[in-house]
Amino acid sequence: MDRDAEQQAPSTDEIAAAVAEVRRDLAERRARGELPHLPSDELDRQFSAVVEAVEAGLVEEPPIETGDLHGPAVLETWRPLRGRGGLAARLIGLLLSPLTRVVGVVVRRQVGEFSTRTAAVVEQLVDRQNRVQFFLSRTHLDRQRRLEYRVAELEREVERLRAALPEGAPPRTGA
Amino acid sequence: MWDQLVVGAAPGDAITKSAVLIREALAAHGPSEIYAQHLEPGLDSHVHPLHELPRRPNRDRPLIFHASIGSWPVHRAIVENEQRLVLVYHNFSPPEYYADIAPEIAGDLIRGRWELEQLRDRVELAFADSEYNAEELRVLGYRDVEVVAPTPDVDRLDRVVPDPDMLRRIDGWGPGPLVLCVAQQLPHKRVERVIAAVAVLQQEHEPDARLAFVGVDRLATYSRALRAMARTVGLRDPQFLGRISDAELSALYLRAAVFCTLSEHEGFCVPIVEAMATGVPVVAADRAAIPSTVGEAGIVVDDPDDPVLVAGLLAKVVRDGDLRRLLVGRGVGRARGMSAAHSLPRYLDALLRHPTASRTVAELVASGEPLPAGVGR
């Protein structure tokens, strides 16, 4: 991961020189502690945690869409006259149409406020649900990443201890 | 009859485009059709379904088989129909990237190599997109592999007017440099590397930088994970554009400050050639056949897993005018040499001059020469 700039063979090619310059700057900033030294598999660790979260259904994708919940006026409380169906049907339709219009006006007046309030509550619930889901997914991913970091630290510590064992010493199994 | 067979055909797919170009070129030498097992809408006039593939003895010339993934129906059709074969090997992706996320695809990729081994003696002429691909064929026992670059029709981007709506849309993303990545959303493309690198680019170098990603969603889990990854690393306003038209793609190349692909495995990588042809500097991973495609005309990163390094290189390309001019100049020249205008004649020349693959069965019998293994079984 941290290729030392000094190890780069000098090149007259401008592209190679530009790459070497970026590497040198990166190495210096890392040496000054301005940038982290990333473990070689850091990206894999992070992305595998994301994939696990996605497969577990913990990542909200996509957020719930409320769409247009307003509009009780579109409730079909009356039907317009239709031009088909024969004379009898048209006569009945002519009689029913004013009646359904009146019913529609009354029903819309009765349910309008209720419908508006219901839509507002549903929107609030969906918004809250989306925020909770987002929080849970981020928390899960952060937690998982911390655990991954800790595992990586412990693996490095184990390697360090193993390397520090004197030659020929029996391995410690903890038993 | 110079027919071609692909496992999957889709609009915008590089192998499909290559097959269409080859068919048009071969039309002057006889009837030529394309057949596919998986056929996406929009190609009905170009590609026929697999079950319509003619059988011998109607077939007098070898079938040109484009291999990119294993497929039992395709393999069975080739074996049962006793097809003579010309193989065009576009590479199989590494199955390990699919073992967890799509095991059925991993199985197809593993079986694909076995299928190529079974077909080896039937193949009269084998093409590979790159030396990297040719080496894989040699490992499978193939000899005398012809290395010919695929036939990317990059000139088509010059023939379309950049889409005005897409140009307006890009302008709406802000004035910052646009990083463009073109790749199917598949695990071995390692799009997450690009996402992480551009996030660092925004945080360390160019706050207004934007990432536009062009590529079909092939695996839902991977695509959703990429979007979640973008949020996790704090990437601002990534643009996942899916499949787009050539006019829209042309608009993106027109506005792109740099093209970035950090794929782990490519048999050739046509989008790199498209970027170079349209004057966009390329930053790519030093993996598989990518270095041979980029050559000296772009920056290849030997450690694409380091987003800080990649971000530094992207910033350098964006800010350093001299470096940009150098990359653009070299890229345009290199792409010209790789375009269909150059590679297609090489395909045809190798095919039409081959001692057996160029001839019909009747011509081979009449010549009295030993018949190839795939003939007369």
Side-chain angles (χ1 to χ4, degrees), chain A residues 28-46:
Chain A
E28 287 171 2
R29 293 185 68 187
R30 280 185 165 147
R32 290 197 299 268
E34 295 175 8
L35 291 170
H37 291 266
L38 298 173
S40 60
D41 54 355
E42 170 64 17
L43 192 60
D44 282 344
R45 284 176 187 275
Q46 288 200 24

Side-chain angles (χ1 to χ4, degrees), chain A residues 3 23 29-30 44 145, chain B residues 190 204 232 302-303 306:
Chain A
R3 185 176 296 270
R23 285 191 180 283
R29 293 185 68 187
R30 280 185 165 147
D44 282 344
R145 192 186 309 161
Chain B
R190 303 299 306 270
E204 290 287 326
T232 303
D302 61 357
D303 191 357
D306 185 350

Side-chain angles (χ1 to χ4, degrees), chain A residues 100-175:
Chain A
T100 59
R101 283 173 183 268
V102 170
V103 169
V105 169
V106 173
V107 168
R108 278 200 299 279
R109 189 171 293 167
Q110 287 180 337
V111 304
E113 187 184 351
F114 174 78
S115 173
T116 304
R117 283 180 54 205
T118 304
V121 170
V122 170
E123 282 181 349
Q124 287 177 16
L125 280 173
V126 167
D127 181 57
R128 189 175 301 178
Q129 168 72 16
N130 284 337
R131 281 188 284 118
V132 168
Q133 183 79 351
F134 182 71
F135 171 78
L136 284 175
S137 61
R138 288 302 300 264
T139 305
H140 172 80
L141 290 172
D142 288 346
R143 175 73 180 152
Q144 197 158 358
R145 192 186 309 161
R146 279 202 296 276
L147 288 172
E148 296 275 9
Y149 276 131
R150 184 66 185 137
V151 169
E153 282 176 5
L154 291 173
E155 285 173 349
R156 282 197 293 273
E157 181 69 7
V158 168
E159 290 300 318
R160 191 185 64 77
L161 291 173
R162 277 189 182 145
L165 277 176
E167 194 76 21
R172 297 283 298 275
T173 60

Side-chain angles (χ1 to χ4, degrees), chain B residues 70-259:
Chain B
S71 161
W72 176 242
V74 167
H75 183 73
R76 192 175 54 189
I78 291 172
V79 172
E80 290 182 355
N81 295 347
E82 298 185 329
Q83 306 280 4
R84 296 171 62 197
L85 283 179
V86 168
L87 175 69
V88 183
Y89 180 55
H90 297 278
N91 201 281
F92 294 149
S93 304
E96 56 266 29
Y97 284 99
Y98 296 84
D100 292 331
I101 208 162
E104 69 284 1
I105 295 179
D108 285 342
L109 291 165
I110 292 169
R111 200 181 54 242
R113 287 182 166 78
W114 174 84
E115 290 171 358
L116 283 191
E117 284 187 304
Q118 305 306 305
L119 297 175
R120 186 177 53 216
D121 294 336
R122 197 181 290 271
V123 172
E124 296 174 29
L125 172 60
F127 288 107
D129 286 349
S130 59
E131 187 56 39
Y132 181 87
N133 288 0
E135 190 53 39
E136 287 199 356
L137 279 185
R138 292 182 193 115
V139 169
L140 294 175
Y142 283 78
R143 297 288 174 266
D144 302 325
V145 181
E146 289 271 350
V147 178
V148 181
T151 52
D153 185 15
V154 293
D155 297 337
R156 77 188 194 286
L157 296 173
D158 289 334
R159 294 193 292 267
V160 295
V161 177
D163 184 69
D165 290 337
M166 179 58 82
L167 288 173
R168 276 192 290 274
R169 191 173 169 188
I170 297 168
D171 292 341
W173 298 340
L178 176 64
V179 181
L180 178 62
C181 178
V182 181
Q184 296 183 67
Q185 290 186 28
L186 292 170
H188 70 276
K189 303 285 185 183
R190 303 299 306 270
V191 181
E192 66 273 17
R193 286 173 170 166
V194 180
I195 287 172
V198 177
V200 176
L201 177 69
Q202 289 177 340
Q203 290 153 19
E204 290 287 326
H205 306 280
E206 295 281 346
D208 294 330
R210 293 291 176 266
L211 171 64
F213 182 73
V214 177
V216 184
D217 292 7
R218 293 289 183 197
L219 297 169
T221 302
Y222 184 67
S223 301
R224 289 167 60 201
L226 289 179
R227 286 159 175 78
M229 180 76 177
R231 287 194 298 275
T232 303
V233 297
L235 176 65
R236 287 190 299 281
D237 300 330
Q239 303 293 329
F240 291 92
L241 300 172
R243 174 177 288 157
I244 60 175
S245 68
D246 281 348
E248 291 169 320
L249 184 60
S250 178
L252 283 162
Y253 278 125
L254 187 66
R255 288 283 193 270
V258 57
F259 177 89

